[in-house]
């Protein structure tokens, strides 16, 4: 069976941003990221939401904080709007084609797995090879978008 014979390959690609009806998974991921960013900005200047979602090298050694290996991918720097803009622009530009070929469930799986793996690798690198005091925190979806 060739790739062109597969059921998901023959479906019509979504066109643009769909504002009514069925949203693509890429559009839902972009909306979730932007909603969290806006919520953090609206909650005030101390950015406690983003600080609680970001991961640090210490997260590797604290199993009760491992949920941050997922949440950092939805948190973006509140002081640099270009950070979320370029991450979401890249996800929207390239993610739509991947979703067209593999489907909504698979693009979500790819996104979430690469966010978690990116956070773990970044954290392990900070713990094993670099002085932890020199490392800041990890936020953003750059790893998942690149993958």
């Amino acid at each position: 069976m060739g790739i062109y014979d597969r059921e998901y390959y023959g479906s019509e690609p979504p066109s643009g941003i769909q504002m009514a009806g069925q949203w693509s998974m890429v559009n839902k991921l972009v909306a979730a990221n932007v909603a969290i960013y806006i919520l953090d900005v609206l909650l005030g200047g101390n950015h406690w939401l983003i600080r609680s979602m970001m991961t640090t090298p210490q997260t590797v050694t604290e199993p009760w904080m491992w949920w941050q290996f997922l949440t950092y991918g939805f948190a973006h720097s509140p002081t640099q709007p270009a950070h979320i803009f370029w991450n979401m622009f890249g996800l929207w530009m390239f993610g739509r084609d991947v979703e067209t070929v593999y489907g909504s469930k698979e693009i979500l799986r790819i996104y979430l797995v690469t966010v978690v793996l990116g956070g773990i690798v970044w954290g392990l690198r900070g713990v094993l090879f670099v002085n932890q005091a020199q490392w800041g925190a990890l936020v953003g979806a750059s790893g998942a978008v690149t993958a």
Side-chain angles (χ1 to χ4, degrees), residues 54 70 90:
M54 65 188 184
L70 176 64

Side-chain angles (χ1 to χ4, degrees), residues 12-126:
E12 288 293 317
S15 58
I17 297 178
Q18 302 169 1
M19 296 309 286
Q22 185 73 20
W23 276 33
S24 70
M25 185 56 68
V26 169
N27 289 342
K28 290 176 186 177
L29 288 169
V30 169
N33 278 278
V34 170
I36 290 170
Y37 180 83
I38 291 171
L39 180 63
D40 179 66
V41 169
L42 293 176
L43 287 175
N46 66 355
H47 304 293
W48 66 268
L49 180 61
I50 298 301
R51 284 188 289 121
S52 66
M53 295 173 70
M54 65 188 184
T55 189
T56 64
Q58 291 81 13
T59 305
V60 173
T61 59
E62 299 170 349
W64 59 91
M65 298 299 284
W66 284 356
W67 55 271
Q68 291 176 335
F69 287 130
L70 176 64
T71 59
Y72 85 90
F74 293 91
H76 291 80
S77 174
T79 60
Q80 299 173 341
H83 181 222
I84 190 167
F85 174 78
W86 289 113
N87 272 211
M88 295 303 101
F89 181 72
L91 176 61
W92 184 74
M93 284 295 293
F94 302 113
R96 293 178 303 155
D97 292 335
V98 174
E99 183 175 2
T100 300
V101 174
Y102 293 110
S104 296
K105 290 180 184 176
E106 195 62 26
I107 189 73
L108 179 62
R109 187 175 304 131
I110 291 168
Y111 184 84
L112 296 178
V113 167
T114 53
V115 162
V116 170
L117 288 177
I120 291 170
V121 168
W122 182 87
L124 286 173
R125 181 175 174 230

